[in-house]
């Protein structure tokens, strides 16, 4: 991403927001290489809920599997210049910091394999699917905002973002998966995105085809029970950041509200499993970390168009305090997940998680990471404590 005076000012404004705990977002829509910025001050309670008004331009982000429909967000009420002018006029004002703290140890392969064995017993007995995720914790002395912008620029076909809200802390990501889009005129778009490979020399195997079919069938059914006319497109292959996925575009038409359909689709089996309630229970029971906003919904309302994406290929970030003689920096918790079915191979599933994480880990470490990563060996260097 070429540094311009405008981009330099955007980075400066974002760094002010991070330092002062001001809700903001930098985003790039799919197919666009340009990044945009807006911000808004927190409310009287120190929070930043997503506006309920469908006509209000805003950003929103939610937690995975939240029991309540609450979403954090950012109103499009302050520009880059507004933030810089506010900071100059209020040099001593900082809002309340978030209550989110980073995890300092990565998911161990042994722990993940134990969870795999536990869910496989159920899958072999009743079929279905469950998605198990892992997270990688590592330290980087690289400045966060340029790092996130570099990652976003790797794949302009994705929805890329960097944000802060008091409810979530700092998150950034580059996701290929559209969850729901509408212009408010009764037409909706979504997709089934499931099945992963990184070697296209062989045809798609039965495991990935079956996993994709679970997701496509589920989404189609959910739209149909909402009373919509559903049109399912042809299955294609999507390439993104070194891996490929099976993709089925899905359209629907009818009388429905965007928030209602979003709650019907989120989470899909692509990030949870089938049956959904059983898979969610297994995720709560066997995953050794909290997903937070990973695999939740993230998106925008702009100009009357609402777009939500599944929050994939993403990371939570928080500042670290350096030990004496070392550099300050950031702790990154990087998330990745994979769908498991009865005949899944644990070695291949673990490697799939490696591949999904690799592009982001390379950016965080400035390319200094080996191609067959074992994240539990990545050490948190220079880390002392969280400054909040």
């Amino acid at each position: 991403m070429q540094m311009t005076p405008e981009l330099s000012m955007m980075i400066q404004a974002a760094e002010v927001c991070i330092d002062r705990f001001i809700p903001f977002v930098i985003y790039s829509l799919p197919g666009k290489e340009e990044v945009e910025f807006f911000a808004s001050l927190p409310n009287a309670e120190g929070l930043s809920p997503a506006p309920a008004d469908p006509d209000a331009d805003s950003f929103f982000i939610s937690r995975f599997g939240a029991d309540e429909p609450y979403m954090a967000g950012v109103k499009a009420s302050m520009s880059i210049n507004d933030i810089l002018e506010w900071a100059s006029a209020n040099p001593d004002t900082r809002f309340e910091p978030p209550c989110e703290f980073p995890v300092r140890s990565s998911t161990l392969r042994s722990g993940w394999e134990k969870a795999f064995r536990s869910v496989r017993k159920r899958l072999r007995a009743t079929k279905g699917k469950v998605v198990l995720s892992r997270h990688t914790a590592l330290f980087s002395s690289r400045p966060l905002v340029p790092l996130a912008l570099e990652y976003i620029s790797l794949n302009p076909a994705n929805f890329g973002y960097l944000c802060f809200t008091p409810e979530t802390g700092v998150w950034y990501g580059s996701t290929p998966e559209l969850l729901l889009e509408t212009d408010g005129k009764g037409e909706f778009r979504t997709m089934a995105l499931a099945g992963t490979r990184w070697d296209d020399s062989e045809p798609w195997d039965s495991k990935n085809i079956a996993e994709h079919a679970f997701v496509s069938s589920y989404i189609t059914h959910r739209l149909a029970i909402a009373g919509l006319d559903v049109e399912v497109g042809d299955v294609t292959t999507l390439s993104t950041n070194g891996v490929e996925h099976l993709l089925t575009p899905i359209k629907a038409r009818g009388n429905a509200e965007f928030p209602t359909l979003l709650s019907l689709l989120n989470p899909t089996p692509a990030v949870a499993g089938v049956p959904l309630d059983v898979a969610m229970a297994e995720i709560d029971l066997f995953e050794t970390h909290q997903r937070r906003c990973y695999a939740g919904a993230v998106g925008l309302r702009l100009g009357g168009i609402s777009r939500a994406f599944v929050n994939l290929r993403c990371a939570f970030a928080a500042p670290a305090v350096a030990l004496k003689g070392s550099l300050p920096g950031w702790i990154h918790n990087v998330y990745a997940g994979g769908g498991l079915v009865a005949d899944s191979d644990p070695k291949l599933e673990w490697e799939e998680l490696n591949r999904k994480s690799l592009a982001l880990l390379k950016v965080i470490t400035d390319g200094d990471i080996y191609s067959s990563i074992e994240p539990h060996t990545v050490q948190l260097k220079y880390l002392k404590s969280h400054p909040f």
Side-chain angles (χ1 to χ4, degrees):
M1 187 174 293
Q2 184 178 3
M3 185 60 66
T4 63
E6 293 79 8
L7 185 59
S8 179
M9 288 182 63
M10 182 182 294
I11 292 172
Q12 183 182 355
E15 289 175 342
V16 166
C17 289
I18 291 172
D19 180 62
R20 306 286 192 93
F21 307 119
I22 299 170
F24 82 96
V25 64
I26 293 175
Y27 68 89
S28 176
L29 289 171
K32 305 287 186 181
E33 295 188 3
E34 302 82 8
V35 289
E36 305 289 344
F37 171 99
F38 59 78
S40 57
L41 299 181
N43 63 20
E45 289 75 37
L47 300 176
S48 186
D53 182 358
D55 296 322
D57 287 355
S58 61
F59 166 85
F60 55 87
I61 182 169
S62 74
R63 294 180 181 274
F64 171 77
D67 292 330
E68 298 180 358
Y70 181 90
M71 287 190 179
V74 183
K75 299 177 183 177
S77 58
M78 299 180 77
S79 66
I80 293 171
N81 287 332
D82 292 335
I83 286 294
L84 297 179
E85 290 174 2
W86 180 93
S88 178
N90 301 273
D92 300 321
T93 302
R94 296 176 88 226
F95 295 97
E96 289 295 316
C99 294
E100 293 287 343
F101 300 93
V103 178
R104 302 183 185 184
S105 58
S106 302
T107 302
L108 293 175
R109 181 167 183 170
S110 59
W112 180 89
E113 289 181 342
K114 181 179 179 181
F116 175 92
R117 291 192 296 271
S118 298
V119 300
R120 187 164 58 180
K121 292 178 182 178
R122 192 270 298 179
L123 294 173
R124 286 177 170 173
T126 65
K127 305 302 181 183
K129 167 187 170 179
V130 65
V131 177
L132 287 182
S133 70
R134 79 167 187 218
H135 78 281
T136 304
L138 68 163
F139 170 89
S140 174
S141 60
R142 297 192 65 191
L144 177 68
V145 180
L147 182 158
L149 289 175
E150 178 183 340
Y151 179 55
I152 291 169
S153 71
L154 291 180
N155 200 328
N158 291 354
F159 174 68
Y161 76 96
L162 165 67
C163 75
F164 168 81
T165 73
E167 295 91 327
T168 65
V170 176
W171 281 80
Y172 65 99
S174 175
T175 173
E177 185 169 356
L178 176 67
L179 182 57
L180 187 64
E181 179 181 77
T182 183
D183 60 1
K185 298 178 181 178
E187 293 186 352
F188 301 89
R189 290 197 313 116
T190 182
M191 64 171 61
L193 190 71
T196 303
R197 69 181 182 186
W198 48 94
D199 180 1
D200 61 3
S201 62
E202 297 291 336
W204 284 98
D205 60 28
S206 58
K207 179 265 180 186
N208 280 291
I209 292 172
E211 183 185 342
H212 182 79
F214 278 132
V215 179
S216 181
S217 174
Y218 177 88
I219 293 174
T220 303
H221 175 69
R222 299 295 278 180
L223 294 173
I225 65 174
L228 303 182
D229 295 324
V230 183
E231 178 184 339
V232 180
D234 295 330
V235 180
T236 60
T237 297
L238 173 71
S239 178
T240 175
N241 287 341
V243 296
E244 292 185 339
H245 303 293
L246 288 171
L247 183 155
T248 299
I250 301 172
K251 296 180 181 179
R253 183 169 183 82
N255 185 20
E257 298 294 329
F258 181 82
T260 302
L261 280 187
L262 187 60
S263 64
L264 280 176
L265 295 178
N266 180 36
T268 74
V271 293
V274 177
L276 184 62
D277 55 345
V278 175
M280 294 291 285
E282 290 174 332
I283 289 168
D284 287 341
L285 182 62
F286 296 120
E287 286 191 350
T288 58
H289 58 275
Q290 293 293 318
R291 291 192 178 190
R292 301 195 237 204
C293 296
Y294 166 68
V298 60
L300 297 161
R301 297 188 188 99
L302 292 175
I305 297 176
S306 297
R307 302 178 181 90
F309 301 84
V310 182
N311 195 17
L312 304 177
R313 312 297 193 272
C314 60
F316 168 74
V321 175
L323 295 173
K324 184 177 180 180
S326 62
L327 296 173
W330 288 80
I331 308 167
H332 302 257
N333 290 168
V334 177
Y335 294 81
L340 308 177
V341 294
D343 60 350
S344 290
D345 181 328
K347 182 179 179 180
L348 292 178
E349 296 296 341
W350 183 259
E351 181 61 19
E352 177 180 322
L353 300 181
N354 290 341
R355 299 286 177 163
K356 287 178 175 178
S357 304
L358 184 57
L360 178 49
L361 293 179
K362 281 184 174 180
V363 172
I364 293 172
T365 60
D366 204 15
D368 185 23
I369 193 163
Y370 38 97
S371 59
S372 182
I373 45 177
E374 294 293 344
H376 62 275
T377 66
V378 178
Q379 301 298 314
L380 293 178
K381 300 177 181 178
Y382 316 126
L383 179 62
K384 182 179 180 182
S385 64
H386 192 280
F388 300 149

